[in-house]
Amino acid sequence: ARKTPDPPRDPAIRVLMMPRDTNAHGTIFGGIILSHIDQAGAVETYRHGCRKVVTVAMDEVEFHAPVRVGDLVSFYTEVVKRGRTSIRVCVTVEAEGRTHPAVKVTEAHVTYVNLDDEGRPAPIPAEDPVA
């Protein structure tokens, strides 16, 4: 039987790595990737009704493959836990280049707290406004 292909995934963000983001070894700084993980996770929270969030935790991040200048890096997101005022997002990072297919670079779980206009924890809306 023929396997049904996986449905296409849309990344929360996609970034082309530039020379300014490299370390002394010619690969992309891990901190640059961490920053994009944080941004991608925040984008996912917006899809679930949050409008102002702060990052409270990011679990251990282990890099499995280097990212190089010119790589197109995709940050895929999925909510893994939703509390009253907090939301935990899994961010999976993949990089593809001119000379290599997409490879998984790393994955992280990031926890955010939804805030009100005064900066206090606020309930996350019960219904997802964006499917």
Side-chain angles (χ1 to χ4, degrees):
R2 185 185 286 193
K3 181 181 183 254
T4 305
D6 292 333
R9 298 183 299 164
D10 289 326
I13 62 173
R14 187 171 272 156
V15 182
L16 183 64
M17 293 292 110
M18 303 300 285
R20 69 176 176 266
D21 301 325
T22 58
N23 59 29
H25 306 292
T27 57
I28 303 303
F29 277 113
I32 296 293
I33 301 299
L34 294 175
S35 175
H36 290 309
I37 287 171
D38 195 15
Q39 291 175 39
V43 167
E44 182 66 22
T45 70
Y46 295 166
R47 294 176 179 167
H48 293 271
C50 300
R51 290 294 167 253
K52 183 177 180 182
V53 295
V54 292
T55 307
V56 296
M58 183 182 292
D59 67 2
E60 181 177 309
V61 177
E62 183 178 326
F63 291 94
H64 305 290
V67 178
R68 294 181 171 77
V69 171
D71 281 358
L72 184 61
V73 183
S74 299
F75 297 80
Y76 298 97
T77 56
E78 178 183 8
V79 170
V80 293
K81 185 176 181 187
R82 189 177 164 139
R84 193 177 77 77
T85 62
S86 66
I87 188 166
R88 186 169 166 88
V89 178
C90 177
V91 182
T92 303
V93 182
E94 293 181 2
E96 67 180 283
R98 292 184 307 265
T99 60
H100 66 85
V103 295
K104 182 176 176 182
V105 173
T106 192
E107 178 178 284
H109 287 84
V110 188
T111 303
Y112 302 88
V113 170
N114 190 44
L115 301 178
D116 65 16
D117 291 336
E118 285 76 45
R120 294 183 301 248
I124 296 170
E127 294 293 319
D128 290 344
V130 178

